[in-house]
Structure formats: structure tokens, C-alpha cells
Amino acid sequence: MKQLLAALMLGTILSGCGNAPDVTQEKSSPKQETQTPVSIEKTAAYVPNPQLPDDRQLTSVNQSVSDDKGELTLKQIVRPDVTRTIGPIQMKIEEIKVFHARPSYGMIDFFHGFTHDESFDLVKTRVTITNTGEEPVTFNPVAHFKIGAKTEKTLEDDVYLESLATTYAPSETRRGNFGFILEQPLTSVELLTSDVLNENRDVVEKGISFSTDL
């Protein structure tokens, strides 16, 4: 009988020891922290353009800026600071700049899709676009960009490629640039926006034009 009780007690102790590693492992597991994603509005932070240097500090003619993408020298600047309403779309035209651009060696291949010159003039327009409506709409801020009487550019000629021609969700705001290489001196510009389209591709509002002298 004593031998039987001893065997039962030994089995109980061994069984308890077998469970011990599980308890220890659970206590030593690191506690997982809950991370809250930070929401940044599209207009809250500047996003560098992958093709061209940041020109925000160029405010006077003949100022220059350079980085690993090349060099820009400001030739002309005008700040219309006007807002146009196209149905639910509000488009603020903040500034128009003309630069002489000299891309770096690493960017030459990109610009060869637009010109074979190693340096050139370009015109850039900066806009802020907001969908004030309650439905998503599709909009392009520059369906046509007229340079003088005979030259016209379209989105296919845009060197900034900042995805401003897109579908805007309700209350969505995007700020960015579109720009075109120039083949002649510039004294005035005229841009024509696209129509505003709803989800069914129906026209909500016809496009508008804007012009200014430089």
C-alpha cells in the first residue's frame, strides 16, 4: 500500500512539472502594443517631385536651386491666387513659374521622352483642388494648356506627373504641379480644365478656362 501511494504522489508531481514550462512561456511572451495609424492629409506635407528639384524657395527672378535631380533657375513668376469653381470642384491657381532647367545626368533619360535638349525652359503651374460635393467626381485641371497662338500642350506632355487628373472623393483635397517644356519665349498662358464627371461618366459641369499674362 505504501508503495502504491508513493507511486501516485510521484505521478502527481511529475504531471505538475510538465505544466510548468507552459506557464513560464506565457509570462515571458512580450506584450503586443496597439499602434494607431497617423492620418496625414494630402495638403499637410510637401512631397518631393521625383523628376525636378523643389522650387518653393525660388521667389525672385534669376534665383537658382539645385539637388541630385538637377538645377532650376527662375525666369518668370506670377501669383494669380484665384479660385475657380467648376461644379463641386474648387481649383485654386496659386502660382505660375517659368524656369530654365538643367537636369542631372541621372535624369536625362526621363526628359529625353519630351526633348533631346540637355537644358530647356519649362512652365509650371501650382494648384490646389478640392471636391466640395458629396459624391466622387473625376477631374483634370489641365485638359489643354495654350502657349501663344499656335502651341498647345496636354496632359501627355506634363513632366511633373503628380496625379492631379484623377477621381476625387467627397471632401478630398490635392495640391500639386503640372508643367510643360517650352519651345519659345512665354508672354501669356491659357489653360482649359476638363469637364467634371460623376461615377457614371456623365458631365456634372463643363470645364472652364483661365488665362494670365507673364
Side-chain angles (χ1 to χ4, degrees), residues 76 78 98 147-149 182 184-190 212-214:
Q76 297 167 267
V78 60
V98 176
I147 302 171
L182 299 172
Q184 62 195 51
L186 192 62
T187 58
S188 65
V189 297
E190 180 181 356
T212 186
D213 294 328
L214 288 171

Side-chain angles (χ1 to χ4, degrees), residues 27-201:
K27 289 183 179 179
S28 61
S29 298
K31 182 180 179 181
Q32 294 183 352
E33 296 182 359
T34 302
Q35 296 183 355
T36 303
V38 178
S39 178
I40 300 177
E41 294 181 2
K42 289 183 173 65
T43 57
Y46 173 76
V47 179
N49 185 275
Q51 282 77 241
L52 291 153
D54 178 7
D55 64 83
R56 290 177 297 166
Q57 301 304 315
L58 298 184
T59 57
S60 300
V61 172
N62 295 326
Q63 279 185 315
S64 295
V65 65
S66 62
D67 61 15
D68 58 352
K69 290 169 281 192
E71 181 182 52
L72 294 177
T73 300
L74 185 62
K75 297 181 66 175
Q76 297 167 267
I77 180 172
V78 60
R79 290 195 172 101
D81 197 25
V82 298
T83 300
R84 294 287 186 263
T85 300
I86 313 103
I89 289 289
Q90 283 189 350
M91 182 174 77
K92 182 178 181 181
I93 304 165
E94 298 180 4
E95 66 180 16
I96 300 172
K97 290 179 175 178
V98 176
F99 306 106
H100 184 72
R102 187 177 297 275
S104 65
Y105 180 79
M107 294 304 303
I108 287 295
D109 285 345
F110 170 79
F111 286 102
H112 276 173
F114 300 93
T115 179
H116 292 293
D117 295 332
E118 294 191 0
S119 67
F120 45 82
D121 288 349
L122 66 87
V123 56
K124 184 212 76 170
T125 303
R126 184 165 179 80
V127 296
T128 297
I129 301 168
T130 301
N131 177 11
T132 64
E134 298 180 354
E135 302 292 337
V137 292
T138 300
F139 178 71
N140 173 9
V142 57
H144 298 280
F145 194 88
K146 294 182 180 180
I147 302 171
K150 298 181 180 179
T151 305
E152 186 172 289
K153 305 284 187 176
T154 67
L155 194 64
E156 294 180 354
D157 304 305
D158 175 28
V159 298
Y160 277 85
L161 307 178
E162 293 189 350
S163 301
L164 294 172
T166 188
T167 298
Y168 289 78
S171 301
E172 181 178 0
T173 294
R174 292 194 180 205
R175 175 181 294 163
N177 309 288
F178 50 86
F180 308 99
I181 292 174
L182 299 172
E183 294 83 19
Q184 62 195 51
L186 192 62
T187 58
S188 65
V189 297
E190 180 181 356
L191 69 87
L192 175 67
T193 75
S194 75
D195 298 337
V196 179
L197 306 178
N198 62 18
E199 289 184 292
N200 297 321
R201 312 300 293 179

